[in-house]
């Protein structure tokens, strides 16, 4: 099973279930205008990377020898939690797009613009979008409950949810935090990306297959490392890729004054003159000099620092794989997952 084959098959299952969930909730709205907003969730819910459910499916198949369809509702639940996070994240980031489409709150705001004044449209649209995210979250737990969860698997589900929310809380506070360190930034990366995307989904699949936690320590080392690597790649892409590739505007974290390990590296290592230049850009929503910024990051050594960080985490991930005691055929699947991440272009 590779991620591309999984995505093709899972997309159909996930989108059909999402349609049924939307239809069921819309039946309670009884033709209220909000029914159109629920239907729009299909647009945002389509064409995701599906890496989180894939990670759970992968370790489940490795440790159980069974088809991931046995836990399909758990996989749907994981993707629904991600959909909830995207809806809320776009509100917090004031992002107008998601996956190349209009974000949920912006879609609602555009619909309301002709019905009320702009300020009211914005406030109501954000409120409805928050509630839509909450509704999707409730759907996730409905899906989880359709599987025979153990106490250990519920613990991982709760931990996955709790940590991504805490990570997002740190991220939202970030622009006004004047004392962010490399340790702080890496902890945010662990909570918001690494454990949410890799460690907990991988652990969940193994636990569902085995029924209890045994010798899965390699999963934590592997998941944390590859997840940190993954986030550092995203931080680089935010500077180097264009809007067509990203399907959103580049320089997002920089414009919003969000600290990353790259920005902290500059704060700690750049010259006084370079820091003065950086200070003019960081937190400035009107900057668009992407090429100049990239030359600056290369000159200061920030990109070199980021690439070395990626190589270091890849090495740790490979070491974790070697300690997994998996059979050769399963080792190859985990190595392939790491390869997909390290070689991705976005």
């Amino acid at each position: 099973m590779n991620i591309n084959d999984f995505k093709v098959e899972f997309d159909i299952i996930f989108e059909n279930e999402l349609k049924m969930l939307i239809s069921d909730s819309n039946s309670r709205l009884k033709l209220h205008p909000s029914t159109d907003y629920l239907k729009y969730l299909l647009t945002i819910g389509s064409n995701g990377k599906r890496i989180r459910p894939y990670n759970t499916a992968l370790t489940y198949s490795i440790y159980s020898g069974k088809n991931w369809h046995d836990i399909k509702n758990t996989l749907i639940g994981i993707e629904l939690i991600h959909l909830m996070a995207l809806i809320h994240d776009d509100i917090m980031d004031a992002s107008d797009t998601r996956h190349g489409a209009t974000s949920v709150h912006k879609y609602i705001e555009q619909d309301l613009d002709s019905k009320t004044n702009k300020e009211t449209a914005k406030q109501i649209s954000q409120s409805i979008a928050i509630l839509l995210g909450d509704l999707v979250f409730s759907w996730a737990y409905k899906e989880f409950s359709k599987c025979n969860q153990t106490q250990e698997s519920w613990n991982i589900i709760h931990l996955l949810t709790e940590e991504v929310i805490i990570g997002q809380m740190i991220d939202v506070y970030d622009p006004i935090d004047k004392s962010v360190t490399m340790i702080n930034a890496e902890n945010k990366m662990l909570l918001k990306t690494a454990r949410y995307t890799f460690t907990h989904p991988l652990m969940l699949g193994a636990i569902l297959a085995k029924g209890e936690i045994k010798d899965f320590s390699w999963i934590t080392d592997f998941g944390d490392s590859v997840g940190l690597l993954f986030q550092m790649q995203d931080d680089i892409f935010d500077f180097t890729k264009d809007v067509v590739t990203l399907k959103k505007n580049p320089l997002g974290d920089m414009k919003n004054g969000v600290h990353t390990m790259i920005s902290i590296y500059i704060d700690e290592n750049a010259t006084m003159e370079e820091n003065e230049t950086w200070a003019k850009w960081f937190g400035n929503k009107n900057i668009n000099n992407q090429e100049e910024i990239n030359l600056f990051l290369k000159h200061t050594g920030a990109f070199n620092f980021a690439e070395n960080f990626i190589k270091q985490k890849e090495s740790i991930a490979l070491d974790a794989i070697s300690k997994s005691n998996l059979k050769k055929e399963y080792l190859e699947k985990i190595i392939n997952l790491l390869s997909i991440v390290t070689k991705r272009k976005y």
Side-chain angles (χ1 to χ4, degrees):
M1 175 182 65
N2 63 58
I3 193 166
N4 292 326
D5 291 342
F6 170 83
K7 175 176 161 51
V8 169
E9 192 171 358
F10 180 74
D11 274 351
I12 297 170
I13 294 171
F14 176 74
E15 289 169 23
N16 284 340
E17 186 68 12
L18 183 55
K19 287 176 184 176
M20 286 190 287
L21 290 165
I22 290 170
S23 177
D24 187 46
S25 289
N26 269 343
S27 68
R28 294 176 175 82
L29 282 168
K30 299 187 183 300
L31 302 180
H32 187 272
S34 294
T35 57
D36 289 337
Y37 306 149
L38 264 75
K39 291 175 184 177
Y40 188 69
L41 293 175
L42 279 169
T43 300
I44 304 299
S46 300
N47 298 319
K49 292 186 179 74
R50 313 304 191 203
I51 193 164
R52 294 160 192 84
Y54 172 75
N55 286 335
T56 299
L58 180 61
T59 47
Y60 177 79
S61 65
I62 285 174
Y63 280 102
S64 71
K66 299 177 182 178
N67 190 290
W68 59 263
H69 284 225
D70 294 346
I71 58 166
K72 67 178 183 180
N73 294 103
T74 294
L75 305 186
I76 291 169
I78 291 171
E79 194 64 13
L80 286 171
I81 284 181
H82 187 53
L83 178 56
M84 173 274 293
L86 295 181
I87 294 167
H88 287 174
D89 195 45
D90 286 341
I91 298 168
M92 290 180 273
D93 290 347
S95 178
D96 292 347
T97 60
R98 171 63 65 178
H99 294 160
T102 304
S103 55
V104 173
H105 71 280
K106 195 65 180 179
Y107 173 82
I108 299 170
E109 183 180 346
Q110 290 171 349
D111 178 63
L112 294 178
D113 275 343
S114 62
K115 302 174 182 178
T116 185
N117 64 72
K118 198 162 189 67
E119 183 178 345
T120 301
K122 183 176 182 179
Q123 189 273 323
I124 292 176
S125 66
Q126 291 180 350
S127 297
I128 293 175
I130 290 169
L131 292 168
L132 283 174
D134 294 344
L135 180 60
V136 171
F137 185 71
S138 75
W139 292 344
Y141 273 78
K142 180 187 291 187
E143 295 297 324
F144 289 138
S145 298
K146 292 178 182 178
C147 287
N148 294 321
Q149 307 292 345
T150 64
Q151 184 59 56
E152 289 81 5
S153 66
W154 273 123
N155 288 343
I156 293 295
I157 290 168
H158 296 325
L159 192 59
L160 179 153
T161 305
E162 179 183 6
E163 289 195 347
V164 73
I165 292 172
I166 291 173
Q168 186 64 21
M169 288 169 62
I170 295 170
D171 195 52
V172 169
Y173 188 82
D174 200 296
I176 64 168
D177 194 341
K178 305 300 182 183
S179 59
V180 181
T181 65
M182 284 289 189
I183 293 174
N184 299 143
E186 185 165 329
N187 183 54
K188 181 178 73 171
M189 292 163 71
L190 274 172
L191 295 173
K192 190 180 175 186
T193 302
R195 291 176 181 162
Y196 169 61
T197 305
F198 291 94
T199 309
H200 294 325
L202 288 165
M203 188 69 76
L204 180 58
I207 288 170
L208 287 172
K210 300 282 284 188
E212 58 185 42
I213 298 176
K214 289 187 177 178
D215 187 19
F216 298 150
S217 59
W218 74 271
I219 293 178
T220 300
D221 294 337
F222 174 81
D224 284 1
S225 298
V226 74
L228 289 169
L229 181 164
F230 185 90
Q231 181 58 58
M232 184 61 84
Q233 288 175 319
D234 273 357
D235 292 344
I236 294 172
F237 293 154
D238 192 41
F239 286 108
T240 59
K241 301 298 182 180
D242 58 27
V243 65
V244 175
T245 304
L246 291 174
K247 296 184 179 178
K248 62 179 181 179
N249 291 323
L251 308 177
D253 283 342
M254 184 179 184
K255 289 183 177 182
N256 290 320
V258 175
H259 297 285
T260 64
M261 294 186 83
I262 292 175
S263 69
I264 295 170
Y265 174 87
I266 294 170
D267 291 339
E268 294 180 350
N269 296 276
T271 65
M272 184 179 296
E273 184 180 353
E274 288 168 340
N275 265 311
E276 288 176 357
T277 299
W278 180 252
K280 294 176 184 177
W281 295 336
F282 192 71
N284 183 350
K285 296 184 182 296
N286 297 317
I287 57 167
N288 290 297
N289 54 329
Q290 189 173 5
E291 185 175 344
E292 182 183 5
I293 291 169
N294 278 290
L295 288 172
F296 174 87
L297 293 172
K298 184 176 181 180
H299 177 73
T300 59
F303 277 154
N304 187 53
F305 158 76
E307 293 294 343
N308 286 336
F309 179 90
I310 288 172
K311 290 177 183 177
Q312 178 191 41
K313 298 307 174 185
E314 181 182 9
S315 177
I316 295 172
L318 285 168
D319 185 58
I321 294 171
S322 70
K323 296 175 181 177
S324 66
N325 295 320
L326 293 174
K327 294 179 181 179
K328 183 179 178 182
E329 61 184 295
Y330 299 139
L331 278 174
E332 290 174 351
K333 291 181 178 181
I334 299 297
I335 292 171
N336 183 58
L337 171 61
L338 177 60
S339 178
I340 289 170
V341 174
T342 56
K343 293 179 180 179
R344 74 188 180 111
K345 301 303 179 184
Y346 176 63

